[in-house]
Amino acid sequence: MLLHPDSRRAAPTGTAPWREWWLVGVLTVASMLAYIDKNIVSLMVVSIQKDLGLHPAQVTLALGTAFAIANILISIPAGWLADRVQRRSIVAVAILLWSAMAIACGNVTGFVTLLLARAGVGLAEGLLPPACYSMIGDGVSPQRRARALGVFSMSNLVGTGLAFLGGGLLLGLLGRVDYSGLPLVGHLPPWGLALVITGALGFPLLLLVFLFREPKRHEAVGDQAAASPEPPSWSEVLRALAARRGMLVPLAIFSVAHAMLTNSVNLWIAPLLMGRFGLTPAQIGTLSGALLLTAGPIGLFVAGAVIDRLNRLGRHGAQLIALVVAAIMLPCAIFHGLAATQASFWFWQALLLLVATTYLLVTSSIVTRELPPAMVGRAIAIFLLLQGLLGVGLAPTLTALAIETVFAGDAQPIGHAMATMHGAYAAVALVAAIVMFRRGRALR
């Protein structure tokens, strides 16, 4: 079932635009809630460690490593499921499971239960992206698909921003009120009740999931129509990826380089600001959360609109956006860590957020365009696996090694390490974007 590299999926027919946007809206809210549950614990590390009597290594292992490993390991099976079973059911199961696990996190009594509950949250949330990308690819018309993928990609930024802003406000409120008389939750510390509240938000969301129809799986059009109703095998998916390697290999390099940069920034921004400018975690969370809720979504919305516009004109919009954002990102990545004033730092940070996260949109747009629908779930899962292993698992550690070795005797080791490593990632992304752009022009 090896299909032509330039196949296109058929447009959904008979679907009103508002139904398409309803689908996108519900999936975006679900993903946003997942990012809230994922990131809100970063505000609770000290309290959790103190209340449970844990060592720093145990807190890191339970809150970060366990989540990341489970999330990465489930990505490939999640892609397989998205290509074979009803995707709406996958989304519902994912929401139900991570909500239950988030509530369990608020009720843990020690290291083992915390580790298992956080691993459960990571596993459940890993089920979501392949199913969502596959449904948007099938359920949204081509003329709106890039904007739809851009809106869905905003869930990462908005969810993380709300985790910082809303989580801080919620913890502050719970620390001031007396809720000890409440049944079931009155014995919980403020961080425990906050996790229970955010986890419980998933249950009403389940009702919304069943208020849209499962999109029909559309096959490639014209002479690329599938001859068999059976989903393609893994070997067929890999052959299709290999046939499109001229576009998909540089896309993988582009997306992984962006993921490495953004994950390293997320981890090292607080130590940089605390050491250089003396900011408190609360100040950092407020300012970072505000930018995540504004600059990032604006960049994704504009990029999605431009891609749709260029695609209607017969051009490869995603490749052009990739080239533009990579060119802008290179100086941001370098000067971001070297900023001498708070004003200049936040300028580079805002510009970086405006362009850096568009890699999610570029990746999903090209994958859903290049591959037939029955392969999208597994293809997206492969990209997510690479982004997780190298972006989450490796990039922050590489920056740490640069701080401790290359720049150990430097006056500003964190800033110089960030400028060096992030500049290198941005340069790699720019080269990959140039290759994709030239490949797109050749195909056109």
Side-chain angles (χ1 to χ4, degrees):
M1 189 177 159
L2 184 59
L3 304 181
H4 190 275
D6 202 28
S7 65
R8 299 291 184 267
R9 63 176 69 224
T13 57
T15 303
W18 73 268
R19 292 186 182 276
E20 296 180 2
W21 286 115
W22 173 255
L23 166 71
V24 173
V26 173
L27 296 180
T28 300
V29 171
S31 181
M32 181 181 69
L33 184 58
Y35 280 104
I36 292 175
D37 289 339
K38 172 186 176 181
N39 291 296
I40 195 172
V41 294
S42 62
L43 300 174
M44 309 170 178
V45 173
V46 175
S47 299
I48 291 175
Q49 180 181 344
K50 179 182 178 181
D51 290 346
L52 298 183
L54 305 180
H55 299 296
Q58 290 177 309
V59 175
T60 302
L61 181 61
L63 296 183
T65 306
F67 179 98
I69 291 175
N71 194 259
I72 291 171
L73 290 178
I74 198 62
S75 58
I76 296 298
W80 181 86
L81 287 171
D83 287 338
R84 287 182 172 265
V85 305
Q86 189 186 63
R87 295 155 295 185
R88 188 176 64 167
S89 297
I90 296 174
V91 172
V93 169
I95 295 172
L96 180 63
L97 182 57
W98 92 55
S99 296
M101 289 295 100
I103 292 174
C105 285
N107 287 273
V108 296
T109 57
F111 169 68
V112 174
T113 52
L114 179 63
L115 184 144
L116 293 175
R118 278 295 286 176
V121 175
L123 185 145
E125 293 181 2
L127 291 171
L128 193 66
C132 290
Y133 282 119
S134 179
M135 275 197 284
I136 292 173
D138 279 331
V140 179
S141 302
Q143 60 266 31
R144 289 182 285 272
R145 192 171 294 143
R147 280 171 290 170
L149 291 169
V151 169
F152 179 74
S153 298
M154 292 178 193
S155 60
N156 180 344
L157 301 166
V158 176
T160 304
L162 289 176
F164 283 110
L165 290 175
L169 293 173
L170 179 59
L171 287 170
L173 175 64
L174 294 177
R176 294 191 300 270
V177 300
D178 180 16
Y179 56 85
S180 58
L182 294 178
L184 301 178
V185 297
H187 66 287
L188 296 176
W191 61 265
L193 181 54
L195 290 176
V196 169
I197 291 172
T198 56
L201 293 176
F203 296 131
L205 183 61
L206 280 171
L207 301 177
L208 297 181
V209 172
F210 291 100
L211 293 181
F212 64 78
R213 296 178 181 177
E214 167 82 5
K216 180 182 178 182
R217 296 184 188 269
H218 294 276
E219 298 298 338
V221 298
D223 60 350
Q224 312 306 331
S228 170
E230 290 296 320
S233 64
W234 267 109
S235 62
E236 290 171 321
V237 172
L238 295 176
R239 285 201 300 271
L241 293 172
R244 297 153 175 81
R245 61 186 178 275
M247 181 64 68
L248 297 182
V249 169
L251 175 64
I253 295 172
F254 172 86
S255 65
V256 167
H258 273 257
M260 294 180 76
L261 190 153
T262 54
N263 281 281
S264 182
V265 167
N266 290 340
L267 181 65
W268 288 104
I269 181 177
L272 174 72
L273 293 173
M274 292 171 69
R276 181 170 297 179
F277 304 119
L279 297 184
T280 65
Q283 291 172 319
I284 296 170
T286 300
L287 293 169
S288 297
L291 286 180
L292 285 167
L293 291 171
T294 53
I298 289 172
L300 284 166
F301 181 81
V302 172
V306 171
I307 290 174
D308 277 339
R309 174 66 176 170
L310 292 176
N311 286 345
R312 286 195 295 270
L313 296 175
R315 298 182 175 91
H316 291 283
Q319 286 94 310
L320 179 59
I321 287 294
L323 182 61
V324 171
V325 300
I328 296 174
M329 190 174 72
L330 182 57
C332 294
I334 296 173
F335 295 117
H336 177 259
L338 301 177
T341 65
Q342 283 195 55
S344 61
F345 172 85
W346 291 114
F347 168 79
W348 291 115
Q349 174 73 356
L351 193 56
L352 187 66
L353 285 174
L354 193 69
V355 298
T357 52
T358 54
Y359 80 92
L360 300 167
L361 169 59
V362 169
T363 301
S364 55
S365 294
I366 293 179
V367 168
T368 54
R369 188 195 69 214
E370 291 289 319
L371 294 171
M375 298 182 180
V376 166
R378 280 168 286 181
I380 288 290
I382 291 172
F383 276 85
L384 293 174
L385 178 64
L386 293 173
Q387 292 167 11
L389 288 174
L390 299 177
V392 179
L394 183 61
T397 303
L398 291 178
T399 304
L401 291 175
I403 293 169
E404 296 174 358
T405 57
V406 180
F407 301 100
D410 199 277
Q412 297 290 343
I414 296 178
H416 288 168
M418 288 175 66
T420 302
M421 301 304 297
H422 300 169
Y425 301 147
V428 170
L430 179 58
V431 172
I434 292 172
V435 173
M436 284 194 295
F437 182 73
R438 296 183 64 180
R439 176 64 175 169
R441 287 176 62 88
L443 287 175
R444 194 182 75 184

